[in-house]
């Protein structure tokens, strides 16, 4: 393994640990939450939301989506820590069953490295966007941590 890969992996682990500590300090107590079998519990008050774009905004064909998260932390896919997950951007689609992994396709963008922003390119017209947090296996939490659906207009 190259030194660069080692330092990236170490940095990712450090960031995930800091995020977990922040979530626990914010009052997230996974031991108190109840969850359906096979699903990770979501702390009370957990919320995912759009920083940008906002509902009804006109955007260029290529734009950056910025996401926010409250009462939970971000962790890369495959990293199993309580009160953490990673973003999924749903474009022009509905969420699937809450007990199934979120599909990975054009309409379900996985941000599996723990990113909180992504650049997307959409054709001109009306589009819906929604955020859904997934656990280490891309399964929504219990209850699902999901934004409200917004509409953007690509000019």
């Amino acid at each position: 393994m190259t030194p660069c890969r080692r330092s990236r992996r170490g940095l990712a682990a450090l960031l995930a640990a800091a995020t977990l500590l922040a979530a626990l300090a914010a009052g997230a107590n996974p031991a108190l939450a109840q969850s359906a079998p096979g699903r990770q519990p979501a702390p009370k008050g957990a919320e995912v939301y759009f920083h940008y774009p906002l509902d009804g905004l006109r955007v260029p064909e290529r734009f950056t989506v910025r996401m926010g998260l409250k009462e939970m932390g971000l962790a890369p896919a495959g990293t199993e820590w309580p009160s953490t997950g990673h973003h999924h951007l749903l474009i022009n689609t509905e969420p699937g069953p809450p007990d199934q992994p979120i599909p990975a396709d054009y309409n379900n963008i996985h941000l599996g490295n723990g990113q909180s922003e992504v650049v997307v390119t959409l054709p001109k017209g009306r589009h819906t966007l929604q955020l859904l947090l997934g656990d280490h296996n891309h399964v929504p939490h219990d209850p699902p941590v999901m934004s409200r659906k917004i509409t953007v207009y690509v000019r």
Side-chain angles (χ1 to χ4, degrees):
M1 184 178 307
T2 66
C4 185
R5 271 202 167 146
R6 251 181 294 183
S7 62
R8 276 193 214 145
R9 186 174 283 163
L11 179 58
L14 182 62
L15 284 171
T19 302
L20 173 61
L21 289 174
L24 293 173
N29 187 345
L32 298 178
Q34 295 295 326
S35 178
R39 291 179 62 199
Q40 298 292 316
K44 186 174 181 161
E47 182 181 340
V48 65
Y49 56 92
F50 288 97
H51 276 294
Y52 182 87
L54 300 176
D55 191 34
L57 197 63
R58 296 195 183 286
V59 297
E61 289 182 35
R62 184 174 169 88
F63 62 99
T64 301
V65 176
R66 292 185 178 90
M67 300 147 238
L69 181 62
K70 290 172 54 175
E71 303 301 329
M72 289 186 76
L74 291 174
T79 305
E80 186 175 1
W81 281 330
S83 301
T84 64
H86 62 279
H87 292 292
H88 296 82
L89 174 62
L90 283 56
I91 303 173
N92 300 326
T93 191
E94 297 294 324
D99 61 342
Q100 298 295 314
I102 301 162
D105 56 28
Y106 176 80
N107 298 96
N108 296 274
I109 308 301
H110 287 239
L111 302 175
N113 289 330
Q115 309 97 302
S116 59
E117 65 179 48
V118 63
V119 176
V120 296
T121 303
L122 296 174
K124 294 179 191 234
R126 178 184 180 274
H127 299 279
T128 61
L129 305 176
Q130 189 170 22
L131 299 173
L132 177 58
L133 205 67
D135 69 8
H136 61 286
N137 288 323
H138 305 284
V139 176
H141 293 78
D142 186 22
V145 179
M146 184 174 6
S147 73
R148 66 182 183 87
K149 190 178 284 192
I150 67 168
T151 301
V152 296
Y153 300 91
V154 176
R155 51 179 189 234

